[in-house]
Amino acid sequence: MAVINVALAGRAYDVVIEAGLLARLATAAARFLASYAGGRAVPLVADENTHRLYAASVEASLASHSLTADWFVVTPGEDAKSWAVLEELTDWLLALGVTRSDHVFALGGGVVGDLVGFACAITKRGCGFVQIPTTLLAQVDSSVGGKTAINTKAGKNLIGAFHQPSLVLIDPLVLGTLPEREMRAGYAEVLKYGLLGDAAFFDWLEANGNKVLAREPAALEHAIATSIAMKAAIVAEDERETQDRRALLNLGHTFGHALEAETGFSQALLHGEAVALGMVLAARYSARRGEISAADAERATAAIAAAELPAALPALGLTCDGARLVEHMRHDKKAEATTLPFLLLKAIGEAYVARDVDLADIAAFLDEELAAR
Ligand code: ADP
Ligand code: ZN
Protein backbone atom coordinates (compact mmCIF):
# COMPACT_ATOMS: atom_id res chain seq x y z
CA MET A 1 0.00 0.00 0.00
CA ALA A 2 1.14 3.53 -0.75
CA VAL A 3 -0.35 6.79 0.49
CA ILE A 4 0.67 10.00 -1.24
CA ASN A 5 -0.45 13.34 0.11
CA VAL A 6 -1.20 16.17 -2.30
CA ALA A 7 0.02 19.04 -0.15
CA LEU A 8 -2.23 21.95 -1.05
CA ALA A 9 -2.66 24.48 1.74
CA GLY A 10 -6.11 24.04 3.30
CA ARG A 11 -7.12 21.42 0.74
CA ALA A 12 -4.51 18.68 1.18
CA TYR A 13 -5.76 15.21 0.34
CA ASP A 14 -4.54 11.64 0.17
CA VAL A 15 -4.15 9.33 -2.79
CA VAL A 16 -4.28 5.75 -1.54
CA ILE A 17 -2.99 2.97 -3.79
CA GLU A 18 -3.71 -0.58 -2.72
CA ALA A 19 -4.86 -3.80 -4.34
CA GLY A 20 -8.36 -4.66 -3.17
CA LEU A 21 -9.23 -1.12 -2.07
CA LEU A 22 -12.53 -1.06 -3.94
CA ALA A 23 -13.90 -3.96 -1.94
CA ARG A 24 -12.96 -2.04 1.22
CA LEU A 25 -14.40 1.26 0.03
CA ALA A 26 -16.58 1.91 3.06
CA THR A 27 -13.58 1.62 5.40
CA ALA A 28 -11.16 3.47 3.15
CA ALA A 29 -13.54 6.41 2.64
CA ALA A 30 -15.20 6.31 6.08
CA ARG A 31 -14.59 10.01 6.79
CA PHE A 32 -16.33 11.03 3.60
CA LEU A 33 -19.27 8.69 4.11
CA ALA A 34 -20.14 9.94 7.60
CA SER A 35 -22.72 12.41 6.31
CA TYR A 36 -24.79 9.48 4.95
CA ALA A 37 -24.97 7.64 8.27
CA GLY A 38 -28.46 9.09 8.85
CA GLY A 39 -29.91 6.88 6.14
CA ARG A 40 -29.52 8.90 2.93
CA ALA A 41 -28.10 6.83 0.06
CA VAL A 42 -24.52 7.50 -1.07
CA PRO A 43 -24.45 9.20 -4.52
CA LEU A 44 -22.16 7.36 -6.93
CA VAL A 45 -21.52 8.01 -10.61
CA ALA A 46 -20.22 5.36 -13.01
CA ASP A 47 -20.40 4.53 -16.68
CA GLU A 48 -22.22 1.43 -17.88
CA ASN A 49 -19.02 -0.62 -17.90
CA THR A 50 -17.70 0.31 -14.48
CA HIS A 51 -21.20 0.02 -13.04
CA ARG A 52 -21.69 -3.46 -14.51
CA LEU A 53 -18.27 -4.64 -13.33
CA TYR A 54 -17.93 -3.03 -9.92
CA ALA A 55 -21.27 -1.80 -8.51
CA ALA A 56 -21.88 -5.06 -6.65
CA SER A 57 -18.52 -4.89 -4.89
CA VAL A 58 -19.07 -1.25 -3.91
CA GLU A 59 -22.59 -1.96 -2.67
CA ALA A 60 -21.42 -4.92 -0.60
CA SER A 61 -18.80 -2.77 1.09
CA LEU A 62 -21.31 0.01 1.78
CA ALA A 63 -23.85 -2.50 3.09
CA SER A 64 -21.33 -3.80 5.60
CA HIS A 65 -21.39 -0.27 7.05
CA SER A 66 -25.21 -0.06 6.83
CA LEU A 67 -25.02 2.30 3.85
CA THR A 68 -26.94 2.14 0.59
CA ALA A 69 -25.97 3.34 -2.89
CA ASP A 70 -27.77 5.54 -5.39
CA TRP A 71 -26.25 5.40 -8.90
CA PHE A 72 -26.12 7.83 -11.79
CA VAL A 73 -24.90 5.81 -14.78
CA VAL A 74 -23.68 7.42 -18.01
CA THR A 75 -23.02 5.96 -21.45
CA PRO A 76 -19.29 5.15 -21.85
CA GLY A 77 -17.31 7.59 -23.97
CA GLU A 78 -16.50 11.28 -24.29
CA ASP A 79 -20.11 12.20 -25.10
CA ALA A 80 -20.87 12.04 -21.38
CA LYS A 81 -18.72 15.15 -20.89
CA SER A 82 -21.51 17.36 -22.27
CA TRP A 83 -23.75 20.20 -21.09
CA ALA A 84 -26.75 17.84 -21.42
CA VAL A 85 -25.32 15.15 -19.13
CA LEU A 86 -23.94 17.77 -16.75
CA GLU A 87 -27.44 19.23 -16.43
CA GLU A 88 -28.97 15.81 -15.73
CA LEU A 89 -26.28 15.00 -13.20
CA THR A 90 -26.52 18.29 -11.32
CA ASP A 91 -30.35 18.04 -11.30
CA TRP A 92 -29.97 14.55 -9.86
CA LEU A 93 -27.57 15.74 -7.16
CA LEU A 94 -29.88 18.59 -6.20
CA ALA A 95 -32.90 16.26 -6.12
CA LEU A 96 -30.96 14.03 -3.72
CA GLY A 97 -30.43 17.05 -1.49
CA VAL A 98 -26.64 16.96 -1.70
CA THR A 99 -25.08 19.60 0.54
CA ARG A 100 -21.67 21.28 0.49
CA SER A 101 -20.40 18.92 3.15
CA ASP A 102 -21.43 15.80 1.25
CA HIS A 103 -19.17 13.83 -1.07
CA VAL A 104 -20.08 12.36 -4.43
CA PHE A 105 -18.20 9.24 -5.57
CA ALA A 106 -16.84 8.94 -9.12
CA LEU A 107 -16.19 5.37 -10.23
CA GLY A 108 -14.71 5.27 -13.72
CA GLY A 109 -12.10 6.57 -16.10
CA GLY A 110 -11.21 10.13 -16.97
CA VAL A 111 -14.61 10.78 -18.49
CA VAL A 112 -16.51 10.04 -15.27
CA GLY A 113 -13.89 11.80 -13.14
CA ASP A 114 -13.90 14.99 -15.22
CA LEU A 115 -17.69 15.13 -15.38
CA VAL A 116 -18.26 14.45 -11.69
CA GLY A 117 -15.48 16.81 -10.64
CA PHE A 118 -17.01 19.65 -12.61
CA ALA A 119 -20.54 18.87 -11.44
CA CYS A 120 -19.28 18.97 -7.85
CA ALA A 121 -17.38 22.22 -8.48
CA ILE A 122 -20.63 23.99 -9.33
CA THR A 123 -23.26 22.17 -7.26
CA LYS A 124 -24.14 24.36 -4.27
CA ARG A 125 -21.00 26.35 -5.24
CA GLY A 126 -18.84 23.34 -4.53
CA CYS A 127 -19.56 20.03 -2.84
CA GLY A 128 -17.01 17.32 -2.10
CA PHE A 129 -16.07 14.39 -4.26
CA VAL A 130 -14.01 11.23 -4.07
CA GLN A 131 -12.24 9.85 -7.13
CA ILE A 132 -12.11 6.10 -7.69
CA PRO A 133 -10.29 5.97 -11.03
CA THR A 134 -10.61 2.70 -12.95
CA THR A 135 -8.42 3.25 -16.03
CA LEU A 136 -4.62 3.40 -15.88
CA LEU A 137 -4.79 6.83 -17.48
CA ALA A 138 -7.09 8.16 -14.78
CA GLN A 139 -5.13 6.39 -12.01
CA VAL A 140 -1.80 7.97 -12.96
CA ASP A 141 -2.99 11.29 -14.25
CA SER A 142 -6.48 12.77 -14.48
CA SER A 143 -7.85 11.74 -11.07
CA VAL A 144 -5.22 13.79 -9.24
CA GLY A 145 -4.72 17.54 -9.57
CA GLY A 146 -8.21 18.95 -9.69
CA LYS A 147 -8.64 19.70 -13.39
CA THR A 148 -12.30 19.06 -14.21
CA ALA A 149 -14.16 19.83 -17.44
CA ILE A 150 -16.72 19.02 -20.09
CA ASN A 151 -16.46 19.33 -23.87
CA THR A 152 -18.33 21.86 -26.02
CA LYS A 153 -18.71 22.61 -29.73
CA ALA A 154 -15.57 24.73 -29.59
CA GLY A 155 -13.39 21.90 -28.31
CA LYS A 156 -12.48 19.51 -25.53
CA ASN A 157 -12.18 20.55 -21.88
CA LEU A 158 -12.86 24.24 -22.57
CA ILE A 159 -15.53 24.58 -19.88
CA GLY A 160 -14.35 23.50 -16.47
CA ALA A 161 -12.93 24.39 -13.09
CA PHE A 162 -10.12 23.56 -10.74
CA HIS A 163 -11.80 21.53 -8.01
CA GLN A 164 -9.70 19.16 -5.96
CA PRO A 165 -11.10 15.82 -4.77
CA SER A 166 -11.13 15.06 -1.03
CA LEU A 167 -9.66 11.60 -1.54
CA VAL A 168 -8.44 9.45 -4.41
CA LEU A 169 -8.73 5.66 -4.04
CA ILE A 170 -6.72 3.64 -6.55
CA ASP A 171 -7.26 -0.10 -6.74
CA PRO A 172 -4.83 -1.58 -9.31
CA LEU A 173 -6.92 -4.79 -9.36
CA VAL A 174 -9.68 -3.05 -11.33
CA LEU A 175 -7.25 -2.75 -14.24
CA GLY A 176 -7.68 -6.51 -14.66
CA THR A 177 -10.80 -5.87 -16.74
CA LEU A 178 -9.50 -2.85 -18.66
CA PRO A 179 -9.26 -3.46 -22.43
CA GLU A 180 -5.68 -3.98 -23.60
CA ARG A 181 -5.68 -0.93 -25.83
CA GLU A 182 -6.84 1.35 -22.97
CA MET A 183 -4.11 -0.17 -20.77
CA ARG A 184 -1.38 0.68 -23.30
CA ALA A 185 -2.79 4.17 -23.82
CA GLY A 186 -2.63 4.81 -20.08
CA TYR A 187 0.91 3.47 -19.99
CA ALA A 188 1.95 6.31 -22.32
CA GLU A 189 1.25 8.73 -19.46
CA VAL A 190 3.36 6.56 -17.13
CA LEU A 191 6.30 6.77 -19.55
CA LYS A 192 5.67 10.53 -19.64
CA TYR A 193 6.65 10.88 -15.97
CA GLY A 194 9.94 9.07 -16.55
CA LEU A 195 10.74 11.14 -19.60
CA LEU A 196 9.83 14.49 -18.10
CA GLY A 197 11.41 14.23 -14.71
CA ASP A 198 12.83 10.92 -13.51
CA ALA A 199 15.52 9.15 -15.52
CA ALA A 200 15.79 6.34 -12.94
CA PHE A 201 12.06 5.65 -13.29
CA PHE A 202 12.48 5.62 -17.07
CA ASP A 203 15.28 3.03 -16.68
CA TRP A 204 12.98 0.99 -14.45
CA LEU A 205 10.18 1.15 -17.03
CA GLU A 206 12.54 0.04 -19.80
CA ALA A 207 13.26 -3.07 -17.73
CA ASN A 208 9.85 -3.64 -16.16
CA GLY A 209 7.29 -2.04 -18.46
CA ASN A 210 6.18 -5.45 -19.72
CA LYS A 211 5.25 -6.41 -16.14
CA VAL A 212 3.24 -3.22 -15.75
CA LEU A 213 1.41 -3.92 -19.01
CA ALA A 214 0.82 -7.51 -17.89
CA ARG A 215 -0.77 -6.01 -14.76
CA GLU A 216 1.58 -7.73 -12.31
CA PRO A 217 0.40 -6.23 -9.01
CA ALA A 218 3.77 -5.20 -7.54
CA ALA A 219 5.01 -3.62 -10.77
CA LEU A 220 1.72 -1.87 -11.32
CA GLU A 221 1.62 -0.45 -7.82
CA HIS A 222 5.19 0.84 -8.15
CA ALA A 223 4.47 2.46 -11.52
CA ILE A 224 1.28 4.12 -10.29
CA ALA A 225 2.78 5.31 -7.00
CA THR A 226 5.87 6.76 -8.69
CA SER A 227 3.73 8.54 -11.29
CA ILE A 228 1.34 9.96 -8.70
CA ALA A 229 4.16 11.06 -6.39
CA MET A 230 5.58 13.16 -9.21
CA LYS A 231 2.21 14.54 -10.19
CA ALA A 232 1.37 15.37 -6.56
CA ALA A 233 4.66 17.22 -6.10
CA ILE A 234 4.16 19.23 -9.28
CA VAL A 235 0.52 20.07 -8.49
CA ALA A 236 1.46 21.16 -4.96
CA GLU A 237 3.98 23.61 -6.44
CA ASP A 238 1.82 24.96 -9.24
CA GLU A 239 -1.84 24.05 -8.71
CA ARG A 240 -3.24 26.27 -11.46
CA GLU A 241 -0.47 25.98 -14.04
CA THR A 242 0.55 29.59 -13.64
CA GLN A 243 4.26 28.75 -13.74
CA ASP A 244 6.12 26.38 -16.03
CA ARG A 245 6.10 23.66 -13.38
CA ARG A 246 2.68 22.12 -14.02
CA ALA A 247 3.11 22.67 -17.77
CA LEU A 248 5.80 19.95 -17.71
CA LEU A 249 2.95 17.46 -17.38
CA ASN A 250 1.97 18.42 -20.92
CA LEU A 251 5.00 16.71 -22.45
CA GLY A 252 3.88 15.19 -25.75
CA HIS A 253 0.51 16.92 -25.52
CA THR A 254 0.95 19.78 -28.02
CA PHE A 255 1.99 17.43 -30.81
CA GLY A 256 -0.51 14.89 -29.47
CA HIS A 257 -3.38 17.39 -29.48
CA ALA A 258 -2.73 18.17 -33.15
CA LEU A 259 -2.86 14.44 -33.97
CA GLU A 260 -6.07 13.98 -31.99
CA ALA A 261 -7.64 16.97 -33.74
CA GLU A 262 -6.61 15.71 -37.18
CA THR A 263 -8.13 12.28 -36.43
CA GLY A 264 -11.32 13.93 -35.12
CA PHE A 265 -10.83 12.98 -31.43
CA SER A 266 -12.10 9.57 -32.42
CA GLN A 267 -11.38 5.97 -31.53
CA ALA A 268 -8.88 6.06 -34.40
CA LEU A 269 -6.36 7.52 -31.96
CA LEU A 270 -6.85 7.42 -28.18
CA HIS A 271 -5.52 10.31 -26.09
CA GLY A 272 -2.72 8.19 -24.65
CA GLU A 273 -1.74 6.96 -28.10
CA ALA A 274 -1.57 10.55 -29.34
CA VAL A 275 0.55 11.51 -26.32
CA ALA A 276 2.88 8.56 -27.01
CA LEU A 277 3.54 9.69 -30.56
CA GLY A 278 3.64 13.29 -29.35
CA MET A 279 6.48 12.37 -26.98
CA VAL A 280 8.37 10.69 -29.83
CA LEU A 281 7.99 13.89 -31.86
CA ALA A 282 9.04 16.08 -28.92
CA ALA A 283 12.14 13.90 -28.40
CA ARG A 284 13.04 13.87 -32.09
CA TYR A 285 12.50 17.62 -32.44
CA SER A 286 14.65 18.21 -29.35
CA ALA A 287 17.39 16.06 -30.93
CA ARG A 288 17.07 18.05 -34.17
CA ARG A 289 17.68 21.23 -32.12
CA GLY A 290 20.80 19.62 -30.66
CA GLU A 291 19.41 19.21 -27.15
CA ILE A 292 18.71 15.58 -26.17
CA SER A 293 21.21 13.21 -27.82
CA ALA A 294 20.05 11.28 -30.86
CA ALA A 295 20.71 8.07 -28.91
CA ASP A 296 18.44 9.16 -26.04
CA ALA A 297 15.71 10.29 -28.44
CA GLU A 298 15.95 6.80 -29.93
CA ARG A 299 15.67 5.26 -26.45
CA ALA A 300 12.49 7.23 -25.79
CA THR A 301 11.10 6.10 -29.15
CA ALA A 302 12.06 2.48 -28.48
CA ALA A 303 10.32 2.45 -25.08
CA ILE A 304 7.12 3.70 -26.71
CA ALA A 305 7.37 1.20 -29.57
CA ALA A 306 8.04 -1.61 -27.08
CA ALA A 307 4.69 -0.84 -25.46
CA GLU A 308 3.09 -1.25 -28.90
CA LEU A 309 2.14 2.41 -28.92
CA PRO A 310 2.41 4.48 -32.12
CA ALA A 311 6.04 5.58 -32.43
CA ALA A 312 6.28 6.97 -35.97
CA LEU A 313 4.10 9.50 -37.75
CA PRO A 314 3.58 7.53 -41.01
CA ALA A 315 1.95 4.74 -38.96
CA LEU A 316 -1.16 6.92 -38.60
CA GLY A 317 -1.72 7.13 -42.35
CA LEU A 318 -2.53 10.84 -42.22
CA THR A 319 -3.09 12.64 -45.50
CA CYS A 320 -2.35 16.15 -44.19
CA ASP A 321 0.90 18.12 -44.14
CA GLY A 322 2.88 19.65 -41.29
CA ALA A 323 1.30 23.07 -41.76
CA ARG A 324 -2.14 21.60 -41.12
CA LEU A 325 -0.99 19.97 -37.89
CA VAL A 326 0.46 23.30 -36.80
CA GLU A 327 -2.96 24.91 -37.48
CA HIS A 328 -4.46 22.49 -34.94
CA MET A 329 -1.82 23.54 -32.41
CA ARG A 330 -2.66 27.21 -32.96
CA HIS A 331 -6.31 26.47 -32.26
CA ASP A 332 -7.59 28.72 -29.41
CA LYS A 333 -4.51 30.86 -29.75
CA LYS A 334 -4.17 33.92 -31.95
CA ALA A 335 -4.43 32.70 -35.53
CA GLU A 336 -1.38 34.72 -36.50
CA ALA A 337 0.80 33.23 -33.73
CA THR A 338 4.23 32.32 -35.07
CA THR A 339 5.43 30.68 -31.86
CA LEU A 340 3.95 28.57 -29.07
CA PRO A 341 5.50 27.21 -25.86
CA PHE A 342 6.71 23.64 -26.47
CA LEU A 343 7.69 20.96 -23.99
CA LEU A 344 11.07 19.71 -25.13
CA LEU A 345 13.74 17.41 -23.70
CA LYS A 346 17.30 18.23 -22.69
CA ALA A 347 17.79 14.62 -21.66
CA ILE A 348 15.75 11.63 -20.56
CA GLY A 349 14.21 12.79 -17.30
CA GLU A 350 14.67 16.48 -18.07
CA ALA A 351 11.85 18.30 -19.86
CA TYR A 352 11.63 22.08 -20.13
CA VAL A 353 9.36 24.71 -21.66
CA ALA A 354 10.90 26.18 -24.82
CA ARG A 355 9.52 29.58 -25.78
CA ASP A 356 11.63 30.18 -28.87
CA VAL A 357 10.09 27.54 -31.11
CA ASP A 358 9.17 28.83 -34.56
CA LEU A 359 5.97 27.20 -35.81
CA ALA A 360 7.20 27.30 -39.41
CA ASP A 361 10.13 25.15 -38.26
CA ILE A 362 7.71 22.75 -36.53
CA ALA A 363 5.75 22.44 -39.79
CA ALA A 364 8.96 21.69 -41.70
CA PHE A 365 9.97 19.11 -39.07
CA LEU A 366 6.55 17.44 -39.28
CA ASP A 367 6.80 17.29 -43.08
CA GLU A 368 10.12 15.47 -42.67
CA GLU A 369 8.58 13.09 -40.14
CA LEU A 370 5.53 12.43 -42.33
CA ALA A 371 7.84 11.49 -45.20
CA ALA A 372 10.26 9.42 -43.10
CA ARG A 373 10.57 5.63 -42.99
P1 ADP B 1 -9.87 7.63 -19.87
O1 ADP B 1 -9.66 7.30 -18.46
O2 ADP B 1 -8.80 7.14 -20.75
O3 ADP B 1 -10.22 9.07 -20.08
P2 ADP B 1 -12.65 6.60 -20.26
O4 ADP B 1 -13.19 7.16 -19.04
O5 ADP B 1 -13.26 7.06 -21.55
O6 ADP B 1 -11.09 6.79 -20.41
O7 ADP B 1 -12.69 5.01 -20.21
C1 ADP B 1 -12.24 4.26 -21.31
C2 ADP B 1 -13.10 3.02 -21.49
O8 ADP B 1 -12.73 2.04 -20.54
C3 ADP B 1 -14.59 3.24 -21.32
O9 ADP B 1 -15.28 2.46 -22.26
C4 ADP B 1 -14.85 2.73 -19.91
O10 ADP B 1 -16.17 2.29 -19.75
C5 ADP B 1 -13.88 1.59 -19.82
N1 ADP B 1 -13.42 1.24 -18.48
C6 ADP B 1 -13.01 2.08 -17.52
N2 ADP B 1 -12.52 1.42 -16.48
C7 ADP B 1 -12.63 0.10 -16.77
C8 ADP B 1 -12.27 -1.10 -16.10
N3 ADP B 1 -11.65 -1.08 -14.91
N4 ADP B 1 -12.54 -2.27 -16.70
C9 ADP B 1 -13.13 -2.30 -17.94
N5 ADP B 1 -13.44 -1.21 -18.62
C10 ADP B 1 -13.22 -0.02 -18.05
ZN1 ZN C 1 -2.80 13.38 -21.11
Side-chain angles (χ1 to χ4, degrees):
M1 170 168 140
V3 181
I4 294 152
N5 188 259
V6 184
L8 291 164
R11 282 158 300 130
Y13 58 96
D14 283 338
V15 182
V16 185
I17 303 155
E18 188 180 16
L21 205 47
L22 193 69
R24 294 191 290 278
L25 172 67
T27 310
R31 262 179 73 199
F32 306 106
L33 289 164
S35 70
Y36 303 107
R40 281 187 305 144
V42 179
L44 294 118
V45 183
D47 72 20
E48 284 159 7
N49 293 323
T50 57
H51 182 263
R52 172 174 44 80
L53 291 162
Y54 298 109
S57 168
V58 165
E59 286 174 8
S61 176
L62 293 176
S64 71
H65 284 59
S66 307
L67 294 165
T68 57
D70 203 341
W71 293 93
F72 185 92
V73 181
V74 301
T75 304
E78 283 284 323
D79 288 353
K81 287 174 60 174
S82 67
W83 283 116
V85 177
L86 178 73
E87 184 177 4
E88 283 173 36
L89 173 55
T90 49
D91 281 346
W92 181 76
L93 293 173
L94 294 172
L96 290 179
V98 162
T99 70
R100 293 188 64 185
S101 47
D102 285 331
H103 288 77
V104 180
F105 289 72
L107 176 72
V111 166
V112 169
D114 282 7
L115 171 71
V116 173
F118 186 45
C120 291
I122 59 177
T123 297
K124 301 273 176 80
R125 299 199 181 84
C127 67
F129 75 116
V130 172
Q131 290 270 29
I132 311 170
T134 62
T135 63
L136 181 59
L137 189 124
Q139 291 190 345
V140 299
D141 196 1
S142 57
S143 66
V144 173
K147 283 192 179 176
T148 73
I150 58 167
N151 306 327
T152 65
K153 286 189 222 69
K156 281 185 65 177
N157 297 328
L158 295 178
I159 297 291
F162 284 99
H163 187 49
Q164 300 290 343
S166 299
L167 176 69
V168 182
L169 296 177
I170 297 177
D171 183 349
L173 289 187
V174 302
L175 300 181
T177 54
L178 190 68
E180 186 65 27
R181 188 175 171 204
E182 298 287 347
M183 188 70 193
R184 291 182 189 280
Y187 182 73
E189 303 269 8
V190 176
L191 279 171
K192 179 186 80 176
Y193 291 103
L195 279 174
L196 82 88
D198 188 342
F201 183 45
F202 184 85
D203 293 347
W204 185 87
L205 289 169
E206 279 185 320
N208 299 284
N210 55 344
K211 295 182 194 149
V212 176
L213 287 167
R215 302 162 220 212
E216 287 185 19
L220 206 43
E221 189 172 319
H222 178 72
I224 296 168
T226 307
S227 299
I228 289 296
M230 191 185 304
K231 176 136 190 191
I234 290 173
V235 167
E237 279 177 48
D238 184 15
E239 182 183 7
R240 289 177 180 246
E241 202 171 317
T242 50
Q243 307 141 39
D244 283 350
R245 196 77 181 111
R246 187 162 181 168
L248 295 181
L249 296 170
N250 298 332
L251 178 64
H253 282 62
T254 301
F255 286 113
H257 174 85
L259 301 172
E260 285 185 276
E262 183 60 23
T263 48
F265 293 98
S266 68
Q267 289 296 110
L269 190 66
L270 300 179
H271 173 74
E273 294 168 344
V275 169
L277 186 44
M279 292 190 297
V280 169
L281 294 171
R284 290 176 59 80
Y285 187 69
S286 304
R288 189 175 179 267
R289 274 165 57 108
E291 291 168 346
I292 193 173
S293 71
D296 278 349
E298 189 44 48
R299 258 182 89 196
T301 305
I304 287 159
E308 291 172 39
L309 286 160
L313 207 37
L316 298 192
L318 301 178
T319 51
C320 67
D321 63 2
R324 174 154 172 94
L325 292 173
V326 165
E327 279 312 308
H328 291 307
M329 296 175 189
R330 271 205 197 99
H331 184 68
D332 304 329
K333 308 283 186 302
K334 285 196 207 83
E336 67 275 21
T338 58
T339 169
L340 279 178
F342 268 82
L343 271 292
L344 297 181
L345 289 168
K346 290 185 180 158
I348 283 181
E350 198 185 337
Y352 79 105
V353 183
R355 299 194 180 280
D356 61 341
V357 175
D358 176 12
L359 288 175
D361 192 48
I362 292 282
F365 163 71
L366 289 170
D367 283 336
E368 289 163 29
E369 292 290 311
L370 282 160
R373 278 174 269 183

